[in-house]
């Protein structure tokens, strides 16, 4: 049989990478807890209506990218392309929209979009996201943006850029769409085929189209000039708060985001090292979504960060503190196979004291075992047990970096390893 392969745009994560993922996740959980967020885990599969009712019929995620199928019961279901709609569905289903107060959730896990795979664009990718329900305050937007940048810095990322815009409230939307159509209708010939269609069903997306023709004709359109006074004040307060927090940002009048549910604040963080798919993460306010999905009227704001892109942007930086802490520390070797049971017992005793230990279980010469040790614990120790060592109650300890050896009794051993 021809060996099977993973589907295009999906990847296996092997141990040399999974330790990085664990490290990113651990740092994120620590930071999110500091800000008062608690984890929510929603199913990877949902009724398709969860997404069609929230992201918008015209959103590309729905029309082109959703993994959509009929299950055996004939229901229309989808693999989740993003987390916000799922969290809102769960929030309403639990009745939290009726309880008042603030709810802060974070989530972490795979999302699925049937896109053409390329660097930084996968069909299964992973997000860490947050959603806060119950606050309409512009300072809540600022705190959420602060948290986004805090996470990126916590992962050691630098050189990213924060872009910010206001796309107006529900009342502004009809007016904005009308104005964009009006401004662009006489330029139809210049628009790319996709944007010709968008003029009818999704004119906002024309503003962030990357085609030069579309960029040229939409260059003069500034969403900020079209939003109402109250949305403008909201934006100004967010901007003031960010300045007070010394968080640099750029106002991008064409930042619209691809999803229908946003109102007022929209933001994105881009990284110059990422190439064409340069968004590390993005989000915004979505004050109408809970009600639109059948709940009470509850304002909300959130973001999601793509973890594959975080890893791409962070590649080249050395091992994280967490990775170093997880590295194995000792390799227990035996001079002859007769000492293997004793070696197994010593490794187990040390693990009980919090030492990460490998142990040789094969019949092979000590030299080969030490070669193995220099690969598995390059900056740790090989602990060598022979007949003599066992008889005297000692262990030969070899520092793999320097090759220096000494004999220690068992009571000194732990102190030596932990001091390292
Ligand atoms: P989004 O901008 O669609 O927003 O996705 C957020 C991030 O996920 C992107 O900036 C990117 O890093 C990553 N991402 C998206 N698609 C792919 C892909 N195909 N391959 C690799 N990475 C990808 C949302 O998903 C919203 N739910 C964010 C949000 C939360 N808004 C409010 N709350």
């Amino acid at each position: 049989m021809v060996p099977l392969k993973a589907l295009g745009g999906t990847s296996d994560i092997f141990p040399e990478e999974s330790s990085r993922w664990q490290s990113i996740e651990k740092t994120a959980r620590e930071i999110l807890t500091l800000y008062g967020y608690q984890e929510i885990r929603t199913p990877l599969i949902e009724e398709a209506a969860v997404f069609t009712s929230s992201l918008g019929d015209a959103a590309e995620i729905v029309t082109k990218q959703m993994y959509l199928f009929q299950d055996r019961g004939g229901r229309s279901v989808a693999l989740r392309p993003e987390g916000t709609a799922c969290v809102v569905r769960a929030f309403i289903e639990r009745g939290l929209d009726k309880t008042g107060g603030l709810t802060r959730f974070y989530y972490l896990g795979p999302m699925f979009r049937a896109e053409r795979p390329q660097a930084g664009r996968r069909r299964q990718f992973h997000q860490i996201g947050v959603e806060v329900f119950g606050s309409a305050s512009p300072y809540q937007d600022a705190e959420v943006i602060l948290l986004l940048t805090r996470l990126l810095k916590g992962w050691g990322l630098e050189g990213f850029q924060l872009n910010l815009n206001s796309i107006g409230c529900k009342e502004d939307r009809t007016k904005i769409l009308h104005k964009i159509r009006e401004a662009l209708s006489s330029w139809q010939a210049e628009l790319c085929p996709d944007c010709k269609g968008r003029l009818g069903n999704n004119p906002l997306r024309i503003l962030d189209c990357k085609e030069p023709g579309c960029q040229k004709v939409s260059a003069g359109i500034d969403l900020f000039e079209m939003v109402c006074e109250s949305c403008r004040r909201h934006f100004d307060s967010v901007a003031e708060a960010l300045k007070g927090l010394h968080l640099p940002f750029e106002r991008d009048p064409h930042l619209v985001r691809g999803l229908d549910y946003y109102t007022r604040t929209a933001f994105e963080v881009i990284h110059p090292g990422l190439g064409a798919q340069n968004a590390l993460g993005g989000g915004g306010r979505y004050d109408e979504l809970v009600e639109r999905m059948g709940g009470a009227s509850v304002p909300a704001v959130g973001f999601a960060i793509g973890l594959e892109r975080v890893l791409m942007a962070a590649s080249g930086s050395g091992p994280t503190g967490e990775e170093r802490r997880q590295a194995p520390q000792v390799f227990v070797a035996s001079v002859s196979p007769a000492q293997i049971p004793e070696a197994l017992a010593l490794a187990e005793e040390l693990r009980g004291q919090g030492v990460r230990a490998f142990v040789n279980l094969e019949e092979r010469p000590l030299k080969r075992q030490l070669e193995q040790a220099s690969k598995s614990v390059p900056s740790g120790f090989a602990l060598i047990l022979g007949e003599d060592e066992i008889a005297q109650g000692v262990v030969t300890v070899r520092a793999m970096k320097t090759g220096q050896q000494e004999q220690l009794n068992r009571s000194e051993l732990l102190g030596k390893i932990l001091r390292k």
Side-chain angles (χ1 to χ4, degrees), residues 8 20 63 108 110 113 116 144 157 207 221 236 241 257 284-285 296-297 357 380 385 400:
R20 292 224 119 179
T63 56
L108 191 164
R113 297 185 193 175
R116 196 168 44 78
V144 158
L157 294 182
L207 300 190
I221 297 176
D236 288 342
R257 314 258 316 126
R285 182 161 275 291
S297 169
L385 282 179
M400 296 314 297

Side-chain angles (χ1 to χ4, degrees), residues 107-220:
Y107 51 90
L108 191 164
M111 307 290 160
F112 304 87
R113 297 185 193 175
E115 306 199 69
R116 196 168 44 78
Q118 62 184 87
R121 192 194 261 171
R122 315 292 301 155
R123 290 185 165 166
Q124 176 176 329
F125 59 100
H126 298 76
Q127 286 185 343
I128 284 187
V130 309
E131 314 294 350
V132 191
F133 297 95
S135 168
S137 164
Y139 302 115
Q140 186 62 65
D141 305 21
E143 194 196 43
V144 158
I145 294 170
L146 179 67
L147 170 56
L148 168 55
T149 59
R150 173 77 178 246
L151 284 168
L152 298 177
K153 286 178 194 159
W155 293 323
L157 294 182
E158 289 166 357
F160 52 81
Q161 181 187 318
L162 170 64
N163 292 334
L164 196 63
N165 196 17
S166 175
I167 56 172
C169 54
K170 190 173 143 199
E171 288 70 36
D172 294 336
R173 189 57 55 89
T174 327
K175 193 177 64 191
I176 288 176
L177 298 186
H178 177 72
K179 282 192 175 166
I180 297 178
R181 282 198 189 100
E182 207 175 52
L184 296 181
S185 54
S186 49
W187 298 100
Q188 279 204 42
E190 315 285 325
L191 295 175
C192 73
D194 278 347
C195 283
K196 282 198 179 95
R198 287 174 183 145
L199 202 56
N201 63 14
N202 199 5
L204 263 186
R205 274 326 294 267
I206 301 175
L207 300 190
D208 73 349
C209 178
K210 301 285 177 284
E211 292 296 326
C214 305
Q215 289 196 345
K216 199 172 117 210
V217 296
S218 68

Side-chain angles (χ1 to χ4, degrees), residues 5-25:
K5 289 186 170 170
L7 289 170
T10 73
S11 318
D12 303 302
I13 300 172
F14 280 93
E16 62 271 20
E17 282 176 88
S18 62
S19 58
R20 292 224 119 179
W21 284 83
Q22 287 167 12
S23 164
I24 283 194
E25 290 167 7

